[in-house]
Amino acid sequence: MTIEILYPEVANLYGDLMNMEYLRRSCPEIELVNTALGEEPRFLREPVDLVYMGSVTEEGLTLAAESLMPRRDEIAARVDAGQRFLVTGNALDLFGLDITADNGWSLRGLALFPTHARYTMMSRYNALYVGKYGDIDIVGFKSQFGHSYADGDVTPLFDTLRGCGLNEGVMGEGLRRENFMATYVTGPLLILNPPFAKELLADMGVSEPSLAFEDAAMDLYRQRVAQFSDPGTGIVYH
């Protein structure tokens, strides 16, 4: 079983790379392979069970776009064929139409989704998040310079209970297209949400998945769900 990590030399913020390390520790037969900037993604030439990309610097977004854009049509075809992706943090923005910032910086995206990311570089949005993935509670953090706005309908990944979705005017959080899942929620997402991690392993074909340190992870998860869901706990922080 193979997980491909895209561009870990730049997509490595907020501890998000530990999402994949956690899956590997939970399922030792998983092989993690890294694809560097400029390299052809492995999933375009051979089977890969999951492609992962985490939060990235703004300069890294530009470098990642330069690496991915020449392969945009191939990537879209693989997504429509069911290739499984998990994208966290601002890496989500690469797969929309474009990113523009109030300092004049802009970037064209891969256009897998009809979304526009708008950044305000001197005003970072930091918040807790509570949502649902089916009947699974999702908790985590957001730390981003902006939000995404859709031209028309998009399928969200999570349903928001507390916090904001793709932007502060919608409740749907993240994006989904076939098996492509993207969310602004960091944390790292899978370590903070062990039921979601188990669901992902099951989707990847792991029978009766179990997690590393599962009892401790579940105990802390239940505490976070209760704390983040408490109306007395503030959502936005600075």
Side-chain angles (χ1 to χ4, degrees):
M1 184 170 292
T2 304
I3 296 176
E4 179 175 16
I5 302 173
L6 294 179
Y7 316 138
E9 65 269 45
V10 293
N12 54 27
L13 304 181
Y14 309 119
D16 276 2
L17 288 179
M18 288 305 295
N19 281 312
M20 298 302 103
E21 178 62 21
Y22 189 51
L23 292 186
R24 189 194 65 78
R25 294 190 187 191
S26 299
C27 185
E29 60 263 36
I30 287 175
E31 177 190 11
L32 301 181
V33 296
N34 296 326
T35 294
L37 291 164
E39 293 182 347
E40 179 187 21
R42 182 178 292 210
F43 74 90
L44 293 178
R45 64 178 186 271
E46 62 186 68
V48 168
D49 298 282
L50 177 69
V51 180
Y52 177 73
M53 185 173 180
S55 301
V56 60
T57 65
E58 283 65 49
E59 181 180 1
L61 284 171
T62 299
L63 295 172
E66 290 173 354
S67 291
L68 292 171
M69 192 61 71
R71 303 176 174 95
R72 186 269 168 200
D73 291 345
E74 294 175 83
I75 293 168
R78 292 296 300 138
V79 169
D80 288 338
Q83 174 63 57
R84 185 172 288 102
F85 275 78
L86 178 63
V87 173
T88 56
N90 66 337
L92 174 154
D93 297 329
L94 277 175
F95 298 92
L97 294 169
D98 55 51
I99 306 169
T100 57
D102 61 353
N103 64 0
W105 176 72
S106 64
L107 184 66
R108 181 175 155 226
L110 296 179
L112 270 64
F113 299 93
T115 54
H116 306 272
R118 300 291 178 257
Y119 290 2
T120 305
M121 302 307 293
M122 298 303 292
S123 180
R124 182 180 287 273
Y125 176 79
N126 295 304
L128 308 181
Y129 178 81
V130 184
K132 283 281 191 179
Y133 178 77
D135 61 357
I136 295 174
D137 291 313
I138 298 293
V139 293
F141 303 91
K142 292 191 173 191
S143 184
Q144 56 203 72
F145 283 118
H147 304 282
S148 280
Y149 303 84
D151 291 340
D153 295 333
V154 293
T155 301
L157 180 59
F158 302 138
D159 296 317
T160 300
L161 300 178
R162 297 194 74 207
C164 78
L166 273 180
N167 59 70
E168 294 176 297
V170 299
M171 299 302 287
E173 205 291 321
L175 297 166
R176 183 154 199 173
R177 174 173 167 176
E178 303 295 342
N179 291 324
F180 185 106
M181 300 185 292
T183 174
Y184 280 131
V185 179
T186 62
L189 176 69
L190 299 185
I191 295 175
L192 266 61
N193 296 279
F196 183 64
K198 290 184 75 169
E199 181 89 357
L200 180 59
L201 285 172
D203 289 345
M204 292 167 60
V206 178
S207 60
E208 300 182 2
S210 61
L211 298 175
F213 317 110
E214 185 166 341
D215 290 343
M218 283 300 301
D219 183 53
L220 291 170
Y221 166 72
R222 286 187 286 264
Q223 292 181 45
R224 279 189 295 270
V225 170
Q227 180 186 11
F228 289 15
S229 301
D230 185 342
T233 301
I235 288 290
V236 179
Y237 59 94
H238 298 284

